[in-house]
Amino acid sequence: PRRRQLSVDDYVQGVMNSDRAIIAQAITLVESNLPHHREKAQKVLKQLMPYTGKSIRVGFTGVPGAGKSTLIESFGMMLCEQNHRVAVLAVDPTSSISKGSILGDKTRMEQLSRHPNAYVRPSPSGGTLGGVTKKSRETLLICEAAGYNVIIVETVGVGQSEITVRSMVDFFLVLMLTGAGDELQGIKKGVMELADAIFINKADGANKQSAITAKMEYNRLLHFIQPITDGWETKAFTVSALTGEGISHIWEVIEKYKEVTIRTGIFETKRKEQMINWVHSMIGDKLKERFYGKPLMKQSIAEIEQLLIHGHTSPSLAVQQLFRIYDEKR
Amino acid sequence: PRRRQLSVDDYVQGVMNSDRAIIAQAITLVESNLPHHREKAQKVLKQLMPYTGKSIRVGFTGVPGAGKSTLIESFGMMLCEQNHRVAVLAVDPTSSISKGSILGDKTRMEQLSRHPNAYVRPSPSGGTLGGVTKKSRETLLICEAAGYNVIIVETVGVGQSEITVRSMVDFFLVLMLTGAGDELQGIKKGVMELADAIFINKADGANKQSAITAKMEYNRLLHFIQPITDGWETKAFTVSALTGEGISHIWEVIEKYKEVTIRTGIFETKRKEQMINWVHSMIGDKLKERFYGKPLMKQSIAEIEQLLIHGHTSPSLAVQQLFRIYDEKR
């Protein structure tokens, strides 16, 4: 049977009542690229805006194999048992070619998904990174309006995705692993500098001692890096998703962070900045979309790049030529 | 007496003959914001383009007080004595408010300025960072066409200027200082990750031992950072502009770098990427200039930001509203 069309009010009421089926449909609406869906989604979001902003937004990143999903599930379960309401979203730099999802398996976090206090959103199934980002932010707002008070935004550490997630959360957690011997190798460039806390996972069994050693090494390194959040010192900790040791500590660190940053006003300032920056980055994206989306632009760019590489035009002239094409009547 | 107007051909011939007075005038033309100057500058550049690209482009950064100018002067003198031809430019994030220059004192590098093999360009005296950048790149091309085979681009480490300079040079050198005790404190976020080499200056007298210690510490840290240039390992060294010790080593490192990256093809690939990226970043800048420069846009943005902060509109709607204003007929 065809699902009946929900009205703007149906969406708004359903989300406010925290109806999980309607939340899912509202997110699908937000993720849609169809113009009439976009328009409706914007009406829904506008009505929900006054009810957003009351969660703590936590970003989680880590290399594949670091055990992110397992840890988030244990962490989420713990919070749900303490009567928190937890939503888990993913910013997934889905390839726009394959339209496949890197994170996405629909059965992920099965236990947490079934908890009445949790909402686990599978990854969006298509689109470019920019698109997914925009939608992830809107999805986050919907979850907040639905009353989830801890929003976890997960990302696999590919491309610019950490920077994107950092720009939409209050607290950013980087999950690391330790290996035998060369403990700190393979840190992705710049990721440590985005972190509000580093957790070294799999601190259990034979691995525990090397995780502790790695923690000390990270703390040594962190000493030389300016913390990302004013008035907060980024530190490294160990955790084990397997034994559960250290999981409650994640929440303690986040609560401490919230207390400190709210007291200093940084929390609010950062939220406002993030929202304003979001608007300006959407403006930049849209301007580029128009420019590069102009018919024949792709071909003209390829031609002019060839002229450039062979020294037959200068970069500034190339820009002038491309704008002449852009400004032509269609 | 008024200087006679140079024609496009006068500029081109003068630059190709390496006439320093005409080089200076050509750079002034490139730096001008007047539309008819811009147009003439583009004609000159187009003719010069085939003669560019034959230098090694070296970026120099370092905190104020690190002794950048003194070191560049000694380094440049050494190269000139070896019959290299050296141009020194500055990317200076001049405040667009004060129109004052941070680096600019017209008497800097007096000795080098007088050497027949050198050309030292004082900092541009106004404009925004973006503008200066665009012009610095064009200035670099003029110096190349004039036959300078070592182009040094200097920047004070403010704001985004290191990233800007990194994107226009082949080799990027970061100059550091050491202090007593807390040797590595105060490293600017992300700068180490841009470096192809780190030189610790003032390794002389009582300071020498602590400079050597700092060098070892940096090499330890660098071990954990992915080098910026494929196939090249970034290392730390000591140098003294005062005693001259280590200055010839700077050139050895650069020559080695050139050899390695030319052999692997990275040198050429990076040059092409930099030129293409430059074009696309100019396109982005111009699109934003048009958008934000639209009459009344500033005021509309301020109004809509207020609505946003108070939850009366959503970010996506804010973007829509601003584009509606942008697309209106004037």
Side-chain angles (χ1 to χ4, degrees):
Chain A
R2 265 187 78 189
R3 216 183 259 170
R4 87 175 171 84
Q5 284 263 349
L6 296 178
S7 70
V8 170
D9 277 350
D10 292 338
Y11 281 115
V12 171
Q13 284 312 314
V15 169
M16 301 283 293
N17 293 334
S18 207
D19 176 328
R20 287 207 277 189
I22 295 186
I23 294 169
Q25 284 175 264
I27 295 175
T28 303
L29 184 74
V30 155
E31 287 173 359
S32 167
N33 285 318
L34 298 176
H36 67 285
H37 285 169
R38 292 294 307 148
E39 205 181 307
K40 198 173 200 176
Q42 289 315 313
K43 286 182 183 157
V44 173
L45 276 167
K46 192 184 172 191
Q47 290 200 44
L48 293 176
M49 277 305 284
Y51 307 100
T52 63
K54 292 179 189 73
S55 77
I56 175 95
R57 303 167 181 171
V58 179
F60 254 87
T61 192
V63 288
K68 251 190 336 283
S69 294
T70 315
L71 188 69
I72 291 173
E73 180 154 39
S74 306
F75 177 61
M77 285 302 286
M78 183 197 79
L79 294 175
C80 287
E81 294 303 321
Q82 295 171 8
N83 281 318
H84 289 289
R85 299 192 59 218
V86 180
V88 183
L89 315 173
V91 169
D92 178 3
T94 308
S95 158
S96 57
I97 298 160
S98 72
K99 298 276 180 196
S101 164
I102 298 174
L103 293 169
D105 38 0
K106 298 216 168 164
T107 54
R108 69 197 196 94
M109 301 186 199
E110 276 191 60
Q111 205 194 351
L112 186 62
S113 301
R114 282 194 306 265
H115 198 290
N117 284 356
Y119 179 75
V120 179
R121 179 71 185 174
S123 315
S125 58
T128 62
L129 180 55
V132 172
T133 304
K134 186 164 137 190
K135 285 154 193 177
S136 296
R137 289 181 189 266
E138 292 179 344
T139 301
L140 188 152
L141 297 175
I142 288 173
C143 293
E144 284 187 340
Y148 292 97
N149 71 318
V150 183
I151 318 273
I152 295 173
V153 186
E154 180 190 1
T155 183
V156 65
V158 172
Q160 297 284 300
S161 63
E162 288 105 342
I163 292 172
T164 302
V165 172
R166 167 76 271 185
S167 75
M168 58 195 274
V169 297
D170 304 311
F171 183 91
F172 194 62
L173 189 156
V174 176
L175 200 62
M176 298 280 194
L177 274 186
T178 175
D182 221 358
E183 275 90 0
L184 304 192
Q185 283 293 38
I187 303 176
K188 200 180 151 195
K189 213 188 286 186
V191 165
M192 275 180 71
E193 294 170 340
L194 300 174
D196 290 309
I198 289 174
F199 276 82
I200 296 133
N201 197 9
K202 305 194 183 174
D204 42 49
N207 209 37
K208 188 163 178 174
Q209 194 48 55
S210 71
I212 293 171
T213 307
K215 177 187 81 171
M216 293 188 298
E217 275 290 288
Y218 277 114
N219 277 327
R220 226 184 89 76
L221 280 175
L222 285 167
H223 184 61
F224 300 117
I225 296 176
Q226 200 179 311
I228 179 109
T229 305
D230 284 344
W232 175 255
E233 195 185 343
T234 302
K235 286 188 193 146
F237 307 91
T238 58
V239 67
S240 166
L242 188 69
T243 66
E245 209 180 323
I247 290 182
S248 63
H249 200 55
I250 298 177
W251 187 240
E252 285 163 29
V253 174
I254 294 172
E255 291 235 282
K256 180 73 186 161
Y257 177 88
K258 213 173 138 182
E259 185 204 310
V260 170
T261 55
I262 287 177
R263 180 157 36 80
T264 56
I266 294 289
F267 190 90
E268 262 313 297
T269 308
K270 213 160 122 182
R271 280 264 176 112
K272 280 181 193 165
E273 277 173 11
Q274 286 181 343
M275 186 147 70
I276 303 291
N277 289 344
W278 178 18
V279 167
H280 291 290
S281 90
M282 281 195 276
I283 289 173
D285 288 347
K286 192 163 174 163
L287 289 169
K288 280 183 202 155
E289 247 171 67
R290 286 183 174 194
F291 186 89
Y292 291 105
K294 171 103 182 182
L296 301 179
M297 189 52 94
K298 222 171 181 167
Q299 198 193 319
S300 307
I301 288 173
E303 285 165 14
I304 287 173
E305 283 184 358
Q306 283 309 308
L307 293 177
L308 251 178
I309 286 171
H310 296 100
H312 300 313
T313 185
S314 78
S316 292
L317 273 183
V319 172
Q320 269 179 38
Q321 284 167 287
L322 291 172
F323 267 89
R324 211 171 295 133
I325 294 162
Y326 177 57
D327 290 332
E328 267 167 15
K329 291 269 170 289
R330 299 190 182 216
Chain B
R2 268 186 74 187
R3 215 183 259 167
R4 85 175 171 85
Q5 284 263 349
L6 296 179
S7 70
V8 170
D9 277 349
D10 292 337
Y11 281 114
V12 171
Q13 285 312 315
V15 169
M16 301 282 294
N17 293 335
S18 208
D19 175 328
R20 287 207 280 189
I22 294 186
I23 293 170
Q25 284 174 264
I27 295 175
T28 302
L29 184 74
V30 155
E31 286 173 359
S32 167
N33 285 317
L34 298 177
H36 68 282
H37 285 169
R38 293 294 306 148
E39 206 183 306
K40 197 172 200 174
Q42 289 315 313
K43 286 182 184 156
V44 173
L45 276 167
K46 193 184 171 189
Q47 291 200 42
L48 293 177
M49 277 306 284
Y51 308 100
T52 63
K54 293 179 189 74
S55 78
I56 175 96
R57 303 166 181 172
V58 179
F60 253 87
T61 193
V63 289
K68 254 190 333 286
S69 294
T70 314
L71 187 67
I72 290 173
E73 180 154 39
S74 306
F75 177 60
M77 285 301 285
M78 182 197 81
L79 294 175
C80 288
E81 294 303 319
Q82 295 170 10
N83 280 320
H84 289 289
R85 299 191 58 218
V86 179
V88 183
L89 316 173
V91 169
D92 177 2
T94 308
S95 158
S96 55
I97 297 161
S98 73
K99 299 274 180 197
S101 164
I102 298 174
L103 292 169
D105 41 358
K106 299 214 167 166
T107 54
R108 69 198 195 95
M109 301 185 199
E110 276 191 60
Q111 203 193 353
L112 186 61
S113 301
R114 280 194 306 266
H115 198 289
N117 284 357
Y119 179 75
V120 180
R121 180 70 184 174
S123 316
S125 59
T128 62
L129 179 52
V132 172
T133 305
K134 186 165 135 190
K135 286 154 192 177
S136 297
R137 290 181 189 267
E138 292 178 345
T139 301
L140 188 152
L141 296 175
I142 288 172
C143 293
E144 284 187 342
Y148 292 97
N149 70 318
V150 183
I151 318 272
I152 295 174
V153 186
E154 178 189 4
T155 183
V156 65
V158 172
Q160 297 284 301
S161 62
E162 287 105 341
I163 292 171
T164 302
V165 172
R166 166 76 271 185
S167 75
M168 57 196 274
V169 297
D170 304 310
F171 182 91
F172 194 62
L173 188 157
V174 176
L175 200 62
M176 297 280 193
L177 273 187
T178 177
D182 221 359
E183 275 88 1
L184 304 192
Q185 283 293 36
I187 304 175
K188 200 181 152 195
K189 213 188 287 185
V191 165
M192 274 179 71
E193 295 170 338
L194 300 174
D196 290 310
I198 289 175
F199 276 82
I200 296 133
N201 197 10
K202 305 194 183 174
D204 42 49
N207 208 36
K208 188 162 181 176
Q209 194 49 53
S210 71
I212 292 172
T213 307
K215 178 187 80 172
M216 292 189 298
E217 276 290 287
Y218 278 114
N219 277 327
R220 226 185 88 76
L221 279 175
L222 285 167
H223 184 59
F224 300 118
I225 295 176
Q226 200 180 310
I228 181 109
T229 304
D230 284 344
W232 175 257
E233 194 184 346
T234 301
K235 286 189 193 147
F237 307 90
T238 58
V239 67
S240 166
L242 188 70
T243 67
E245 208 181 325
I247 288 181
S248 63
H249 200 56
I250 298 177
W251 186 240
E252 284 163 30
V253 173
I254 293 171
E255 292 235 282
K256 179 76 186 160
Y257 177 89
K258 212 172 138 184
E259 183 204 312
V260 170
T261 55
I262 286 176
R263 179 156 37 80
T264 56
I266 293 290
F267 190 90
E268 261 313 297
T269 309
K270 212 159 122 186
R271 281 265 175 111
K272 279 181 193 166
E273 277 172 11
Q274 286 181 343
M275 186 147 69
I276 303 290
N277 290 343
W278 177 19
V279 167
H280 292 289
S281 91
M282 280 194 276
I283 289 173
D285 288 348
K286 192 162 174 163
L287 289 169
K288 281 185 203 155
E289 247 172 65
R290 285 183 173 194
F291 186 90
Y292 291 104
K294 171 102 179 180
L296 300 180
M297 188 52 93
K298 222 172 183 167
Q299 197 191 321
S300 306
I301 288 173
E303 284 165 14
I304 286 173
E305 284 184 356
Q306 283 307 308
L307 293 177
L308 251 178
I309 285 170
H310 297 98
H312 301 314
T313 186
S314 77
S316 293
L317 274 182
V319 173
Q320 270 180 37
Q321 284 167 287
L322 291 172
F323 268 89
R324 211 170 297 133
I325 294 162
Y326 178 56
D327 290 332
E328 268 167 15
K329 292 265 170 296
R330 301 191 184 213

